[in-house]
Every structure is written in C-alpha cells, then in structure tokens.
Amino acid sequence: MKTVVVYRSKSGYTRTYAEWIAEELQCDLKIGDNTTIEDLDQYDVIIYGGGLYAVGVNGISLIKNNLDKLHSKKLIVWATGSSPGREEELGEVWAYNFTPEQMKKIKTFYLRGGFDYKKLSTGDKVLMRMLQVRLKLIKDRTEDQQGMLEAYHIPEYYCNKENINPLIEYVRSL
C-alpha cells in the first residue's frame, strides 16, 4: 500500500517524529501546509501528525474537512505534546478533535514531544504566558502543573524513536 506521512510542526517535535516514521516505513513525507487533499488521493494510507495546542491537533482540518474524500483510505492521526499522555487526557483530546463516528475511521496515537517556551511564536507565547499566570495562582498544584511551570525556564525534550513503534506496527499490520 502506498503510504504518506503528513505533518504540521511549530516547534520541531512533530517534524522529528514525522521524519522517523517516514524513514522507518520508507514512505513519502509531506508538510501539511503545502499539502492539498488532491495530493493525498494517490495514497492508500495517510498518517497525519500535528502538535497539540490546548486540546486541538495542529492542522487537523486537512483530514476532518475531507473525510468524505478520504473514505477509502486508511487514516492514522498522531498528536505530539509535552504531557505524559495519560489515557483520560487523551480521551478528551480525541473527543475534542473527532466525533465518535469519525473515530471509527481514524486510528490515533500520542507521541510525547516536549516544550520549549523560546521556540514559540509571539501569539503562542502570549497564550502560554496566560496559562503560566493561572498555574502560579494554584496553591496546591499537581505534579503535572508544577512540571509545566518549570518547563517555562528549562525546555523539556521527550522525543524518542522507540515511541513510534506502536504506530509503525499498526501500519505494517494493515
């Protein structure tokens, strides 16, 4: 089956995973900003990755808005973020991004990336600064909340090539 990896990356974590996945599967690699639905027509398997921003997957509209045109394709979506990716949190992410009907058609994965405040765009920095203020106001912070506050000063990097193994195994099983 002809396969493509498409991604959108702001900070580089998603790009890192996209390159590893494409290399492992020996398939095409495309940047989401430069990809149209017509470009995807030639593929049997479409693997889309985007960073998480709040709970939205960056650029996922390429897939969501074209599900009717992609009905005959195998669709895989992965998200990259800085959180550990606990099951209950990921349930919220996928429910926010896809309807239950869409989830029947799309296989999802989470690949932990990282967080580097310095790599953010000005707009993203403003949003993250607002989150930082809110986190600082919490008296009894969870471990994750405290870790997020610390990450503003010390970048976090969790990309690990082994993290792609479940996704790779799934694609190879198709």
Side-chain angles (χ1 to χ4, degrees):
M1 289 190 290
K2 193 165 181 186
T3 302
V4 64
V5 175
V6 182
Y7 72 95
R8 282 195 61 193
S9 184
K10 289 185 177 185
S11 301
Y13 308 109
T14 305
R15 182 185 70 238
T16 296
Y17 280 120
E19 290 170 352
W20 286 340
I21 293 166
E23 176 185 309
E24 188 67 27
L25 294 173
Q26 298 179 0
C27 67
D28 292 344
L29 177 65
K30 296 185 177 289
I31 299 172
D33 292 344
N34 304 330
T35 304
T36 66
I37 195 64
E38 291 77 22
D39 295 330
L40 300 180
D41 193 46
Q42 63 182 305
Y43 297 98
D44 304 302
V45 179
I46 300 167
I47 306 168
Y48 183 87
L52 281 180
Y53 293 90
V55 290
V57 178
N58 186 18
I60 197 60
S61 59
L62 176 67
I63 301 299
K64 283 178 62 169
N65 294 345
N66 293 292
L67 281 173
D68 59 325
K69 296 174 186 158
L70 300 172
H71 71 278
S72 65
K73 314 292 183 184
K74 301 289 184 189
L75 300 175
I76 298 140
V77 172
W78 94 86
T80 305
S82 62
S83 76
R86 292 184 186 89
E87 198 167 318
E88 64 276 4
E89 295 166 348
L90 294 178
E92 291 176 29
V93 166
W94 303 129
Y96 177 83
N97 286 281
F98 304 110
T99 67
E101 192 63 32
Q102 291 169 334
M103 284 298 296
K104 292 177 185 174
K105 177 73 178 144
I106 300 168
K107 179 70 173 170
T108 58
F109 293 88
Y110 177 76
L111 306 174
R112 192 172 189 193
F115 178 75
D116 188 343
Y117 183 78
K118 293 176 188 165
K119 288 185 176 183
L120 299 178
S121 68
T122 302
D124 288 338
K125 282 182 179 178
V126 169
L127 293 173
M128 291 306 295
R129 186 64 72 191
M130 291 176 4
L131 175 61
Q132 184 184 34
V133 169
R134 285 187 24 222
L135 288 172
K136 285 181 176 180
L137 293 174
I138 298 171
K139 290 182 182 180
D140 295 320
R141 291 183 206 105
T142 65
E143 185 179 328
D144 287 348
Q145 291 167 332
Q146 185 59 38
M148 189 67 209
L149 275 175
E150 292 168 6
Y152 280 82
H153 307 290
I154 302 168
E156 297 179 325
Y157 186 84
Y158 299 106
C159 292
N160 183 327
K161 195 168 185 181
E162 290 181 12
N163 293 345
I164 69 171
N165 289 344
L167 188 153
I168 298 299
E169 290 172 19
Y170 176 77
V171 173
R172 289 183 174 154
S173 75
L174 296 175

